Amino acid sequence: MVARRLEERFRAIAAQEGHEVDENALDFAVDFARLAVRSLSLTEPLPREREVLVRAIGARTGISEAAVQRLLDLALRPEHRASLGATELRAFTARFGGAAARDLQADSNTELDLAGFADRYDAAESLLLLDALFAVAGADGHIDLADVRQLKRAAQDLGVDEILVTALLQKHDPSHATGERNHPLLGGDSFTIGRSTTCDIVLSDPQVAPRHAQLVRIEDRWRAIDLGSGRPTLVKGSPITSAPLPLDAILRIGHYKLRVVRDAHSVDQLIIDGERAFSALSVRRLKRRIRGGDGQTVSLLDDVSFTVFSGEVIALVGPSGSGKTTLLNAISGIAPADSGDVLLDGLDFHRLLRLDRSLVGVVPQDDLVHAELTVEESLFYSGRLRFPPDVTDLEVRGEVDRVLHELDIAHIRKSRIGDALQRGISGGQRKRVNLGQELLTRSTRVLFLDEPTSGLDPRASQDIVRLVRQIADGGRIVFIVTHDLTPEVMAQVDHLLVLAPGGRLAWIGPPPEAARYFGVSTPDAIFNRFNDHPPEQWGRLYRESLNARKYVTAREHLIGLEGVGQAAGDEDLRRAGRSPLRQFATLTLRYLRVRLRDRMGVAVLGIQPVFLALVMFIVFPAPTAPFLFMLSLSCLWFGMSGSVRELISDRVIWRRESRVGVGLLAYMGSKTTVLSAVTALQCFFLAAFLHSALDMGEYGFSVWLLSSVCVMTGWLGMAMGLAVSAFFRSSEAAVGTLPLLLIPQITFSSIMVSVRDMGWAAKTMTWGTFQRYCFDALIKCGERIAVPTYKNGEWKAQPINGTLYKLGLKFSDAADDQGFDLDQLLAIIGGTTVFMIFAATMMVRAQSRKD
């Protein structure tokens, strides 16, 4: 055989020169040299081409440069090239005879080819050979179309993913790496654009369809036509089927930006900006296990490894319990795996996230937006929370405008979002707003979408997935958890990632190849095959397949190739730290606006103090002890009822925002500030009205002191409501708890049974009854209190000090036994309020960590 003769001659030369060559290294060097010469039809390589091959072989084998040069000389001899052209074959026959020529042709049918090389060696060595072929073809700084076709065939034979071909083409052809290329539009009125080498304008990237679009000249103008590939074609940022293409307007195909310019001689040229950055997210051997209820260990992720690149859309599918959410949480750092690594461009992704959470965006299945806000307001407040303090509001609004146009929702910017109860924008538009919050920061590199098409009609679902495709074309890595495997959706997806139960990787690769791998006609039928093998076997079958070598192993090795560009990503406006004060101000303004937009809620809050004031004015002719009790109880109710659901209603929104750096203190501070203001207004109105209506000044009550104590009582109720809201997960449970809290406040507050008349257990309970301290404080705001004379409904004023024993607020009638004084009571009320807010904050923190 040719290879054996070449190997024997090279070994003899190496022995003569005193070189000791390892057998495995020798085999690899011979195979590498022969296939490089054969694949590129080399006869007399240029010095630069020889240098590339020598360096590649020497780096892999350790063979000296001189020895490798001799090996190349031997491989270039006609008798050692199994593949000869017709002219070379005639020359060979003339020199060595017909029998030798026939033997040579017979050898060529049995010689190792590129596919055999891929089988014999691992993915790294196949990629090394392909990289060398590209380097030789691009030795002069340019790879022409004929070479591109030849290199793509070589990549297919070596089992190399097409996206890796794009990376190598960009690496070795400056016209792909540095950006702009010019195509004179002369000699024709129609030009096809696509990745197929048969197109007039070739864009070598898997994100571009084989025949993607067409440029047609009509008189003096150009028109862009989408050729129905399923991938989006955009003019001025909007998807088109057919649209005019004005001069200098941007035509977007995949990550390429194309525009037609006309020079001073009226010659049109197509300018192509084709720079593509290969930022890589590598998941390596992720494992996660938990202990089940029966004490057995349950696998959630089992040795999951894959690598994806910027600009790719990955659809994550699998049956229930296959670990889809667990995998996304492990990648995004929400719940890291027990073992394994997640790397972004070779760096620890989770460490990068601790420095800058904006690198990742998570869009949950539910639309986590405030229904009361408009589309523009929702995005604006999200931007203020995500950007550092030195980014001005004007700059934030500029980013909002960008996202509105990018998502094609600029026309509804002033529309209220709404929800199931309040009519607003459509479900598909809400999905876009939800997505837009994660696109405000340009530094977002990886995007996770959980069922983005859930609950949408087929047209809206396809629009969302096409939008996701456009976002990925802009340079982001996008994961979609979905059960929608229709052809329209799969046309926008680069890779299907299939998980079998227990978190086993059963496939990652293009959807059409996935269907062939599972033996089904369409990807949506894959779910029918999971019962064919146990989950463990699905994982093992894929790891041992050639597809895993092509779509997992080879991609990992591409990252280590010198000269393959990595995306720095579009930088955020500024990457400084976020300001807790700005977060607090933003959250407070947003929460206040949300509350004010709830007109029915505002009306109820306004009616409550007016209604209760009128009721108490009708019932109580003077400031009696029962009146003061009802006043304090009403203030306590204002605070509790207004806050008991507030940490539940937007808990999921808070958790999402906390992942991008919104602080807990800023969040709780905004809630406390707005609720405190609302409660203070209610309590102040109630106290001031009743002070005037019942002429309480005649009894020594100061309106300001009375109002202050009422406000503090309301704040205590607000703090209790927040604690309840932080504890429960549902509004129904929280509201149902109110009677359980208020009834004991009434029972043990001494208004029904005096403290002195209670048993020891009841007396003990009174020390923990907040209403008792509030009631006592209100009484001590004045000097006298009204008591009945039992004569024709007449009332008389008595000093408050003398009545405390009768009211049950002290234990004896001794003159010096006055119980707590007012300052002490206010300290107790204030301290309890602070403690309740602190407890609520800690419960929110604990639940966010648990979730």
Side-chain angles (χ1 to χ4, degrees):
M1 294 177 63
V2 174
R4 185 172 300 171
R5 291 197 300 270
L6 176 60
E7 182 178 334
E8 291 172 352
R9 291 189 180 185
F10 180 58
R11 182 180 285 109
I13 292 174
Q16 290 176 2
E17 297 182 355
H19 298 299
E20 293 185 5
V21 181
D22 176 79
E23 289 295 330
N24 293 330
L26 176 64
D27 291 342
F28 177 82
V30 170
D31 291 339
F32 191 103
R34 285 196 59 256
L35 288 174
V37 169
R38 177 180 177 182
S39 299
L40 296 174
S41 302
L42 295 177
T43 55
E44 295 181 5
L46 299 173
R48 169 62 180 158
E49 295 173 339
R50 291 181 66 99
E51 179 185 346
V52 169
L53 295 177
V54 169
R55 186 170 61 248
I57 295 174
R60 165 61 177 80
T61 62
I63 299 175
S64 69
E65 179 179 343
V68 176
Q69 290 282 9
R70 297 296 301 273
L71 172 61
L72 284 178
D73 290 338
L74 290 172
L76 288 167
R77 291 184 180 180
E79 65 269 24
H80 294 149
R81 298 204 307 271
S83 179
L84 299 177
T87 302
E88 291 178 315
L89 187 60
R90 284 194 297 270
F92 185 88
T93 302
R95 180 176 180 180
F96 297 101
R102 286 190 294 274
D103 290 341
L104 180 62
Q105 287 181 311
D107 281 348
S108 67
N109 296 328
T110 59
E111 279 300 314
L112 182 73
D113 56 10
L114 291 174
F117 183 90
D119 290 337
R120 179 175 297 180
Y121 301 102
D122 64 23
E125 289 160 333
S126 296
L127 193 60
L128 179 66
L129 173 58
L130 187 63
D131 183 43
L133 297 181
F134 268 87
V136 171
D140 60 352
H142 177 69
I143 303 177
D144 59 31
L145 278 181
D147 287 336
V148 170
R149 296 190 188 100
Q150 194 171 8
L151 291 169
K152 284 189 174 182
R153 286 194 295 270
Q156 291 175 353
D157 292 341
L158 288 169
V160 174
D161 185 3
E162 191 171 357
I163 191 69
L164 275 60
V165 174
T166 303
L168 294 175
L169 182 61
Q170 177 173 295
K171 173 185 176 182
H172 296 290
D173 186 341
S175 66
H176 288 266
T178 59
E180 289 195 350
R181 288 178 287 159
N182 296 354
H183 285 265
L185 299 177
L186 300 172
D189 295 328
S190 178
F191 299 87
T192 55
I193 304 173
R195 77 169 185 268
S196 171
T197 54
T198 62
C199 291
D200 301 309
I201 300 170
V202 180
L203 305 178
S204 298
D205 194 286
Q207 293 180 7
V208 179
R211 289 174 56 83
H212 197 116
Q214 185 177 20
L215 281 182
V216 178
R217 191 200 312 260
I218 302 175
E219 296 181 351
D220 197 32
R221 300 180 180 179
W222 290 94
R223 190 172 190 86
I225 301 173
D226 183 85
L227 296 181
S229 65
R231 295 291 176 100
T233 301
L234 291 83
V235 173
K236 296 181 179 179
S238 299
I240 58 103
T241 54
S242 177
L245 183 64
L247 295 177
D248 286 325
I250 298 297
L251 170 65
R252 181 76 174 264
I253 297 177
H255 70 277
Y256 292 92
K257 296 178 181 179
L258 303 88
R259 56 191 176 92
V260 177
V261 299
R262 183 169 295 167
D263 62 20
H265 303 287
S266 297
V267 175
D268 291 344
Q269 286 194 339
L270 185 66
I271 308 298
I272 303 175
D273 183 359
E275 186 173 4
R276 191 192 206 282
F278 281 86
S279 181
L281 179 72
S282 295
V283 172
R284 298 184 178 177
R285 306 188 70 84
L286 289 188
K287 295 182 181 181
R288 189 175 187 192
R289 289 175 171 81
I290 60 172
R291 189 172 299 277
D294 57 357
Q296 299 295 319
T297 300
V298 179
S299 173
L300 299 181
L301 293 175
D302 186 14
D303 200 17
V304 176
S305 298
F306 60 87
T307 298
V308 292
F309 298 115
S310 55
E312 292 190 322
V313 177
I314 302 92
L316 180 55
V317 302
S320 178
S322 60
K324 299 185 293 295
T325 301
T326 304
L327 176 59
L328 293 190
N329 289 343
I331 297 174
S332 63
I334 296 174
D338 299 332
S339 61
D341 300 304
V342 181
L343 306 175
L344 182 65
D345 297 335
L347 302 176
D348 186 339
F349 187 46
H350 294 165
R351 182 177 179 274
L352 294 176
L353 289 178
R354 287 192 292 270
L355 300 174
D356 184 6
R357 286 296 308 180
S358 68
L359 289 173
V360 66
V362 180
V363 182
Q365 180 176 350
D366 297 326
D367 298 327
L368 303 184
V369 288
H370 290 93
E372 296 81 5
L373 299 177
T374 66
V375 171
E376 186 176 27
E377 289 170 345
S378 179
L379 293 176
F380 173 74
Y381 286 121
S382 294
R384 276 180 58 94
L385 291 173
R386 284 165 168 77
F387 289 125
D390 57 340
V391 176
T392 66
D393 286 356
L394 183 61
E395 291 175 303
V396 175
R397 293 190 186 279
E399 295 303 301
V400 170
D401 287 340
R402 173 184 62 81
V403 170
L404 288 171
H405 286 90
E406 186 176 344
L407 300 181
D408 194 24
I409 51 176
H411 61 289
I412 59 167
R413 64 192 308 155
K414 299 297 183 182
S415 300
R416 187 169 174 168
I417 294 175
D419 54 19
L421 300 177
Q422 299 177 347
R423 184 175 178 81
I425 61 178
S426 69
Q429 290 168 336
R430 275 199 300 272
K431 292 285 185 184
R432 294 179 183 230
V433 176
N434 204 23
L435 177 59
Q437 296 182 18
E438 302 298 337
L439 300 180
L440 286 167
T441 51
R442 301 190 188 190
S443 58
T444 302
R445 305 274 291 279
V446 185
L447 196 59
F448 300 97
L449 291 84
D450 188 3
E451 294 285 357
T453 61
S454 175
L456 301 180
D457 61 77
R459 174 65 182 273
S461 297
Q462 294 169 23
D463 288 344
I464 288 293
V465 178
R466 275 193 288 267
L467 176 63
V468 170
R469 175 73 264 166
Q470 296 172 33
I471 292 170
D473 288 344
R476 293 181 173 95
I477 299 170
V478 183
F479 288 86
I480 303 179
V481 177
T482 184
H483 292 95
D484 187 355
L485 303 183
T486 57
E488 293 78 9
V489 172
M490 290 297 99
Q492 314 301 325
V493 171
D494 295 294
H495 292 284
L496 199 62
L497 194 160
V498 182
L499 288 179
R504 279 91 180 184
L505 182 63
W507 169 267
I508 184 170
E513 294 188 33
R516 291 193 291 271
Y517 177 78
F518 285 95
V520 295
S521 57
T522 56
D524 57 345
I526 290 175
F527 289 91
N528 300 328
R529 302 302 305 273
F530 283 117
N531 292 330
D532 293 357
H533 303 293
E536 300 86 352
Q537 188 173 352
W538 279 117
R540 186 175 64 256
L541 287 173
Y542 183 71
R543 283 195 300 271
E544 296 173 355
S545 70
L546 294 177
N547 295 291
R549 169 195 176 104
K550 181 176 183 179
Y551 295 114
V552 178
T553 311
R555 282 173 164 245
E556 289 183 0
H557 290 295
L558 177 70
I559 303 170
L561 280 183
E562 181 182 355
V564 176
Q566 295 181 343
D570 290 330
E571 292 300 321
D572 205 340
L573 293 180
R574 275 175 284 284
R575 300 284 291 277
R578 296 176 177 87
S579 167
L581 185 60
R582 174 170 168 143
Q583 289 182 354
F584 165 73
T586 301
L587 290 170
T588 301
L589 289 173
R590 184 181 70 179
Y591 182 42
L592 180 60
R593 178 162 288 182
V594 168
R595 291 298 298 261
L596 292 177
R597 289 278 173 80
D598 183 6
R599 296 180 180 178
M600 184 60 69
V602 171
V604 170
L605 291 175
I607 291 172
Q608 279 183 348
V610 175
F611 178 77
L612 292 179
L614 291 175
V615 169
M616 284 188 275
F617 172 71
I618 294 172
V619 174
F620 300 106
T624 64
F627 161 77
L628 294 173
F629 174 81
M630 287 302 300
L631 179 58
S632 64
L633 185 64
S634 298
C635 293
L636 198 68
W637 164 258
F638 289 156
M640 293 181 67
S641 63
S643 62
V644 74
R645 290 174 294 189
E646 292 309 300
L647 297 181
I648 298 173
S649 59
D650 62 355
R651 178 173 291 166
V652 287
I653 296 178
W654 143 246
R655 288 175 184 163
R656 176 181 182 177
E657 292 175 340
S658 68
R659 293 176 188 143
V660 296
V662 178
L664 176 59
L665 293 181
Y667 172 70
M668 290 298 296
S670 68
K671 291 288 186 182
T672 304
T673 299
V674 175
L675 291 173
S676 295
V678 172
T679 303
L681 288 174
Q682 289 180 299
C683 295
F684 180 81
F685 173 84
L686 182 64
F689 176 84
L690 292 173
H691 182 277
S692 176
L694 299 185
D695 198 16
M696 295 179 66
E698 294 296 324
Y699 290 82
F701 284 89
S702 165
V703 64
W704 298 111
L705 183 57
L706 181 71
S707 299
S708 298
V709 175
C710 285
V711 168
M712 290 191 65
T713 301
W715 287 347
L716 174 57
M718 175 205 68
M720 293 173 62
L722 286 176
V724 172
S725 183
F727 182 79
F728 289 102
R729 292 179 176 269
S730 71
S731 297
E732 292 77 7
V735 173
T737 305
L738 284 181
L740 301 180
L741 294 175
L742 284 176
I743 291 175
Q745 298 296 321
I746 299 172
T747 305
F748 294 107
S749 63
S750 79
I751 192 65
M752 302 183 71
V753 179
S754 297
V755 175
R756 67 176 187 277
D757 297 328
M758 293 180 180
W760 68 269
K763 286 182 179 180
T764 303
M765 294 293 292
T766 61
W767 294 109
T769 304
F770 311 128
Q771 172 63 6
R772 172 191 171 184
Y773 301 107
C774 299
F775 177 32
D776 194 357
L778 277 182
I779 290 175
K780 291 179 177 177
C781 287
E783 298 174 359
R784 293 174 299 280
I785 194 170
V787 296
T789 62
Y790 302 105
K791 294 180 180 180
N792 299 322
E794 295 180 0
W795 299 79
K796 67 178 181 178
Q798 287 188 354
I800 287 178
N801 290 346
T803 63
L804 290 178
Y805 172 73
K806 294 180 180 180
L807 292 175
L809 298 179
K810 68 173 187 171
F811 293 102
S812 73
D813 57 358
D816 60 347
D817 187 6
Q818 301 300 319
F820 295 111
D821 60 33
L822 182 57
D823 291 339
Q824 291 173 325
L825 291 169
L826 294 180
I828 293 173
I829 295 171
T832 305
T833 301
V834 172
F835 174 78
M836 285 289 183
I837 294 175
F838 174 77
T841 303
M842 290 300 99
M843 282 189 280
V844 171
R845 181 183 182 186
Q847 287 197 2
S848 63
R849 287 184 173 181
K850 181 179 179 181
D851 295 335

